[in-house]
Amino acid sequence: MSERIALIGAGAMGGAIGTRLLETGNELAVFDLDAEKVAVLVEKGAVAAASASVAASEADFVITSLNAAHIVDRAVFGAGGISEGARPGTVIIDMSSIAPDATRDLAERAAEKGLMWVDSPLSGGAPKALTGDLTLMAGGEAEAVEKAHRALRHVASNYTHMGPPGAGQTTKLINQVLCGLGFLAVAEATQLALDAGVDAEKIPQALKGGRADSALLQEYLPRFATKDYRRTGRIDNMVKDLNAVQDLARATGTSMPMTALCAEVHRMLTAAGLGGEDQAAVMEFFSGAKEEITG
């Protein structure tokens, strides 16, 4: 069934989500400050909106895909924001990765305006969004989470209600601990294979089905081995998420020494000018950061 959806934020992730929503027959209004990003989705059938408020005015669901809590706040509650145009009962689905405490505050303020809030950060990146195979971890009231699935079923094959507002974001931080450490482990293993003269590109098949196998191994070890740095994510976004993990760990008194080391490696790569590169560029930690990466 077709849904009326507004998309606020049409970057790499938002653009992939929007593309999938259009391909599955939904009506999509889109707003982004970057007109070129909007134009890409308009060419695929979306309608460009003059503001987030206008985009939300005819939608049953409003999806936000933005980079930071203060940007989400401005997009929802600022001048020309979602809350100005959205009708009571509209479900705001925040697919950004932001701190759980910020999410709880946003959800409370949305409820005061008669709007439902679901935090639904994702795992799988743009490639999985395009095939409808994202993993989503949702936080919010049960009614809102169930209703949001009408829109999110088009982009996700795994959708789990984790608890009240903020629970989805907390689960995403746990996901990022596992991914961040996993990227480093696979990168180290790749470099060892290369230095030892083993055909690194055969390793995913050799280890398939064993205890060391994982989605990260299968997708990224070949890319690490060939330094395939096509952008499907950003190192500096991992830094943002790992910073949030460490904030949560301090608040809960949780000791996370390996995560601290992982965060430092990612900060070093960002300081070396690689923050905007894909996670595959973690390989530069082993060879020294380049001034420029091509490919």
Side-chain angles (χ1 to χ4, degrees):
M1 184 177 71
S2 175
E3 304 292 350
R4 295 184 300 179
I5 303 170
L7 174 66
I8 312 303
M13 196 65 239
I17 291 168
T19 296
R20 176 67 181 178
L21 290 172
L22 289 167
E23 289 177 347
T24 51
N26 296 283
E27 298 177 29
L28 187 70
V30 59
F31 174 74
D32 192 290
L33 294 176
D34 188 332
E36 291 184 2
K37 293 176 181 177
V38 173
V40 172
L41 289 176
V42 168
E43 288 181 1
K44 299 176 181 179
V47 175
S51 67
S53 174
V54 172
S57 63
E58 297 296 328
D60 297 315
F61 305 95
V62 182
I63 293 175
T64 54
S65 180
L66 302 165
N67 285 332
H70 72 276
I71 301 175
V72 176
D73 191 328
R74 186 166 67 245
V76 178
F77 300 108
I82 294 164
S83 63
E84 288 186 0
R87 296 163 296 172
T90 299
V91 182
I92 300 175
I93 305 169
D94 184 28
M95 300 185 75
S96 317
S97 293
I98 62 175
D101 56 350
T103 289
R104 288 189 287 270
D105 175 68
L106 290 165
E108 289 176 6
R109 290 159 61 196
E112 291 171 359
K113 294 182 177 293
L115 305 173
M116 294 181 169
W117 189 280
V118 174
D119 50 293
S120 186
L122 58 90
S123 183
K128 293 292 186 180
L130 291 170
T131 60
D133 290 315
L134 287 174
T135 290
L136 303 181
M137 48 291 288
E141 300 302 323
E143 180 185 357
V145 171
E146 181 178 357
K147 190 174 180 180
H149 190 237
R150 282 171 38 194
L152 296 176
R153 63 189 172 87
H154 298 287
V155 298
S157 57
N158 184 12
Y159 181 67
T160 306
H161 184 193
M162 296 303 300
Q169 296 293 356
T170 299
T171 307
K172 175 59 185 284
L173 293 183
I174 294 167
N175 178 85
Q176 294 304 83
V177 170
L178 296 168
C179 284
L181 291 170
F183 280 126
L184 290 188
V186 175
E188 284 193 11
T190 303
Q191 190 62 50
L192 179 60
L194 294 172
D195 292 344
V198 172
D199 187 345
E201 293 186 66
K202 289 184 177 180
I203 290 177
Q205 178 58 41
L207 302 185
K208 189 173 184 179
R211 286 187 171 180
D213 196 13
S214 69
L216 283 181
L217 172 68
Q218 293 297 328
E219 179 181 356
Y220 270 88
L221 195 147
R223 293 186 60 190
F224 285 153
T226 59
K227 295 198 172 183
D228 174 3
Y229 294 163
R230 286 173 293 117
R231 292 176 180 85
T232 60
R234 294 171 60 102
I235 287 174
D236 54 12
N237 279 340
M238 180 62 77
V239 172
K240 170 181 68 74
D241 291 341
L242 292 177
N243 285 343
V245 168
Q246 291 184 295
D247 288 342
L248 182 61
R250 281 188 287 270
T252 57
T254 305
S255 179
M256 304 187 74
M258 301 308 297
T259 299
L261 176 59
C262 179
E264 286 303 319
V265 171
H266 281 78
R267 291 187 191 112
M268 290 171 63
L269 290 166
T270 299
L274 302 179
E277 299 299 331
D278 186 83
Q279 280 286 344
V282 168
M283 287 304 295
E284 294 304 303
F285 181 72
F286 300 100
S287 59
K290 297 177 179 178
E291 294 183 0
E292 181 177 348
I293 293 178
T294 59

